Amino acid sequence: MESVGKGMKVSPLEKKKEGRMKSGFWLIVIGAALWGADPLFRIILLKENMTATQITLIEHIILFIIMMPVLWKHRSELQGLKLRHIGALLFLSWGGSAIATIMFTRGLSSGDLNTVILLQKLQPLFAILMAKLLLKERLPKHFSWLLIIALAGTYLLTFGFAFPFGNISNFTQVGSLFALIAAALWGGSTVMGRLMVGQMQPVTVTSLRFILALPLLIGITINQGDPWLVATDAGTLTAVSINLLAQALLPGLLSIFIYYKGLTTTKASVATLAELSFPMVSVLINWIVFNQVISIAQAFGFVLIWVVLFIISRNSST
């Protein structure tokens, strides 16, 4: 294909392709931003004496009921799947949807929250490594520097200008290890998702991600044998039910569907930077819900990340 230089006309086909890439990038930004509300739902449910596995199981039961008819409608897409596609689907469902969600939820309940959030910023490193190894992706120009700037922005969002480690043991606690496992699995899921949206429609990938995870979650829940502490009064039960439903549909189903839709035209290595919209939404939620005013350092980190997102979106076709 002939390169387009200064003063040269861009064909309508090239313009259309570039537009799809840019819109796909911003769809991932929106989908990841919806994940920013997820910890809010989980923390509320943890306060109701529900375990991380129980929360994740109920969430997937709700999504199973919703997505099973969708999968049945698109069942023809399951034909001709190769072994690598089955492996990718199992990684997405068992690793990214089941185990990673449990690990992150347990991290929120047993570890330092700032440390757990910071460790999630390692997702791009895992995703970039797997994208280069499995998808043979060529990174955009100056990608390494943009990644460093984006990670610096997430650092400022989490800790400001202060050095966070009063004691290095914060990063060796059980909650931190849970968060690290979640970061690795979610980073890998970005790559596996990119592989699968080239094989089937985003709605089908979304359905399989949640449906295939359910048997594993049932087995883990039974094996753990934790008691179910169900609220007895109608008010609390209603509030918990609404919370579970909202969590499953908003940061769960809707965000993943939008995310996979954007992933159809976006490299996994680029998508992982778009996912950094998550911490920005988390900061806004802390400000609005918990009255935690955004500091100058956090505002600066916010700007850094959005500058990187803008530059990457402008060059996502390279």
Side-chain angles (χ1 to χ4, degrees), residues 57 90 93-95 98-99 211-221:
L57 173 62
L90 290 177
S93 58
W94 291 8
I99 299 175
I211 291 172
L212 293 177
L214 189 57
L216 177 64
L217 286 169
I218 293 174
I220 293 175
T221 305

Side-chain angles (χ1 to χ4, degrees), residues 93-141:
S93 58
W94 291 8
S97 192
I99 299 175
T101 306
I102 292 174
M103 294 294 101
F104 181 70
T105 307
R106 293 188 67 177
L108 291 175
S109 63
S110 61
D112 176 72
L113 183 58
N114 282 341
T115 303
V116 171
I117 293 175
L118 177 62
L119 286 173
Q120 294 312 302
K121 309 311 181 294
L122 296 177
Q123 289 183 38
L125 302 182
F126 293 113
I128 290 170
L129 178 61
M130 292 190 67
K132 292 187 69 174
L133 293 176
L134 300 180
L135 303 182
K136 310 300 181 184
E137 289 190 355
R138 182 171 59 90
L139 302 180
K141 188 177 181 180

Side-chain angles (χ1 to χ4, degrees), residues 8-229:
M8 298 179 63
K9 292 184 178 180
V10 181
S11 68
L13 183 61
E14 286 295 319
K15 286 184 177 180
K16 186 176 181 180
K17 181 180 178 181
E18 184 179 352
R20 285 200 303 265
M21 289 181 175
K22 290 180 179 179
S23 62
F25 177 86
W26 287 107
L27 282 174
I28 293 176
V29 171
I30 294 171
L34 288 173
W35 299 341
D38 188 75
L40 175 62
F41 291 105
R42 295 188 187 279
I43 290 173
I44 292 175
L45 293 171
L46 286 168
K47 291 181 179 179
E48 294 298 328
N49 296 318
M50 297 182 67
T51 68
T53 305
Q54 290 170 348
I55 294 172
T56 307
L57 173 62
I58 295 176
E59 175 187 3
H60 279 73
I61 290 175
I62 295 173
L63 294 171
F64 175 86
I65 295 172
I66 295 173
M67 299 306 296
M68 195 60 197
V70 177
L71 181 61
W72 179 256
K73 181 180 179 181
H74 294 268
R75 63 188 183 279
S76 61
E77 296 183 37
L78 300 178
Q79 298 177 0
L81 287 180
K82 298 179 180 179
L83 186 60
R84 66 188 183 114
H85 298 135
I86 296 175
L89 286 171
L90 290 177
F91 190 101
L92 277 173
S93 58
W94 291 8
S97 192
I99 299 175
T101 306
I102 292 174
M103 294 294 101
F104 181 70
T105 307
R106 293 188 67 177
L108 291 175
S109 63
S110 61
D112 176 72
L113 183 58
N114 282 341
T115 303
V116 171
I117 293 175
L118 177 62
L119 286 173
Q120 294 312 302
K121 309 311 181 294
L122 296 177
Q123 289 183 38
L125 302 182
F126 293 113
I128 290 170
L129 178 61
M130 292 190 67
K132 292 187 69 174
L133 293 176
L134 300 180
L135 303 182
K136 310 300 181 184
E137 289 190 355
R138 182 171 59 90
L139 302 180
K141 188 177 181 180
H142 306 309
F143 186 83
S144 298
W145 284 107
L146 291 172
L147 175 62
I148 292 173
I149 294 173
L151 292 176
T154 60
Y155 179 94
L156 291 174
L157 280 176
T158 307
F159 296 111
F161 294 122
F163 188 70
F165 313 121
N167 192 329
I168 195 64
S169 64
N170 287 344
F171 270 78
T172 61
Q173 293 175 359
V174 174
S176 301
L177 296 178
F178 289 153
L180 183 59
I181 294 172
L185 290 173
W186 277 330
S189 294
T190 298
V191 179
M192 298 303 175
R194 183 66 183 89
L195 175 66
M196 290 311 303
V197 293
Q199 179 69 21
M200 55 183 57
Q201 295 183 44
V203 67
T204 310
V205 179
T206 304
S207 303
L208 289 169
R209 177 186 177 110
F210 296 126
I211 291 172
L212 293 177
L214 189 57
L216 177 64
L217 286 169
I218 293 174
I220 293 175
T221 305
I222 294 174
N223 182 66
Q224 290 182 348
D226 295 317
W228 290 80
L229 303 176

